Amino acid sequence: EKHDHFAHHINQLQIIKKIHEAGYELAVGMEMFQRPFQKIVNDFLAGRIDEHEFLLKSEYFKRWRYDYNLYKPIIDYLKQQNIPLVALNIKGDINNKVARKGIYSLSDERKKQLPSSMDFSNEQYRDDLNKVFALHAQQEELKDFNYFLQAQTLWDEVMAESAHQFLKNNPDSKMVIIAGNGHVRHKYGIPERLYRRNLEPFAVVVQD
């Protein structure tokens, strides 16, 4: 998706509906929610808290910020149909620190949240990120491309590992992963990193 394109989210919802209506066991993983808030997500889907408390306690507007109405139809459908929503993302302050000071700057406590493995070998991934880094380095106070590469790789690896852990614990389930185009195009972000872990076939939809 492009995060602020409402049509993209309608298309996502249609895909989710078609898979669910076909009778498959399904979960939806979302970049928009961070792993420490999974219990809050679960509580909302189970009806233990209302939408206001869900948005407040998941720190949605602090950590994602895009208009919640873009995602509301999807999340309402998951709630109505009792479909799990998996928070895929790493806590944002960890990624921000890695982008500026590198992985080895993290405290031992934060290092516990790192994925079990990270692959830096894809040259196209590196080249594409180098172009992004050149565009944003000054305004984002990013000084070292290698730290930026570590942060982006960490971002994708954590989301892939989050999806893998859910699918490992729920082997009969399929998963639709909702993430920005940069995490799925060319398959070198989340898709191939998830495939490295589970060797399961996948399809990628990149919009626009």
Side-chain angles (χ1 to χ4, degrees), residues 3-34:
H3 302 311
D4 59 355
H5 284 37
F6 187 63
H8 290 191
H9 304 298
I10 295 301
N11 292 339
Q12 292 164 342
L13 179 56
Q14 293 306 312
I15 291 172
I16 291 166
K17 283 183 174 181
K18 290 293 185 183
I19 296 173
H20 178 62
E21 289 167 0
Y24 293 104
E25 187 172 334
L26 181 65
V28 175
M30 295 183 69
E31 175 192 2
M32 299 76 212
F33 296 97
Q34 298 176 1

Side-chain angles (χ1 to χ4, degrees), residues 10-206:
I10 295 301
N11 292 339
Q12 292 164 342
L13 179 56
Q14 293 306 312
I15 291 172
I16 291 166
K17 283 183 174 181
K18 290 293 185 183
I19 296 173
H20 178 62
E21 289 167 0
Y24 293 104
E25 187 172 334
L26 181 65
V28 175
M30 295 183 69
E31 175 192 2
M32 299 76 212
F33 296 97
Q34 298 176 1
R35 296 197 296 183
F37 302 100
Q38 184 65 60
K39 183 181 182 303
I40 304 302
V41 171
N42 294 346
D43 285 347
F44 173 63
L45 294 183
R48 290 187 287 269
I49 59 176
D50 63 18
E51 185 178 80
H52 179 267
E53 190 173 357
F54 161 60
L55 294 173
L56 194 66
K57 288 188 173 179
S58 68
E59 301 180 13
Y60 176 87
F61 294 107
K62 175 183 176 183
R63 298 183 179 276
W64 190 247
R65 299 175 184 165
Y66 288 94
D67 187 348
Y68 179 69
N69 289 303
L70 294 165
Y71 300 96
K72 179 175 169 59
I74 294 173
I75 295 172
D76 284 351
Y77 181 76
L78 301 184
K79 189 172 188 289
Q80 291 161 6
Q81 300 298 322
N82 197 30
I83 297 172
L85 192 170
V86 182
L88 297 180
N89 218 335
I90 192 167
K91 202 168 181 182
D93 57 338
I94 295 177
N95 227 46
N96 288 339
K97 183 165 187 181
V98 170
R100 287 155 179 77
K101 297 185 177 181
I103 284 177
Y104 294 107
S105 70
L106 296 176
S107 66
D108 290 342
E109 189 63 31
R110 286 182 168 180
K111 284 177 182 175
K112 292 177 183 177
Q113 297 189 47
L114 298 182
S116 57
S117 65
M118 295 175 65
D119 181 1
F120 294 92
S121 65
N122 190 297
E123 289 299 324
Q124 185 181 3
Y125 186 81
R126 177 184 292 268
D127 290 345
D128 288 351
L129 285 178
N130 213 339
K131 294 170 187 173
V132 174
F133 180 77
L135 290 172
H136 297 290
Q138 290 184 339
Q139 67 187 50
E140 297 289 346
E141 299 179 352
L142 304 172
K143 305 301 182 187
D144 189 317
F145 171 70
N146 288 319
Y147 294 162
F148 182 71
L149 175 63
Q150 285 179 6
Q152 295 297 313
T153 303
L154 173 60
W155 197 352
D156 285 327
E157 291 283 9
V158 165
M159 289 194 284
E161 185 160 278
S162 300
H164 172 58
Q165 288 298 330
F166 180 89
L167 292 170
K168 183 179 177 182
N169 293 332
N170 300 272
D172 295 328
S173 183
K174 296 182 179 297
M175 180 179 282
V176 172
I177 291 177
I178 295 177
N181 283 342
H183 297 292
V184 298
R185 70 162 61 95
H186 308 305
K187 302 183 288 186
Y188 56 27
I190 298 170
E192 289 185 346
R193 296 175 195 279
L194 178 53
Y195 182 77
R196 190 180 83 237
R197 289 169 164 85
N198 67 9
L199 301 180
E200 293 288 346
F202 62 86
V204 176
V205 177
V206 178

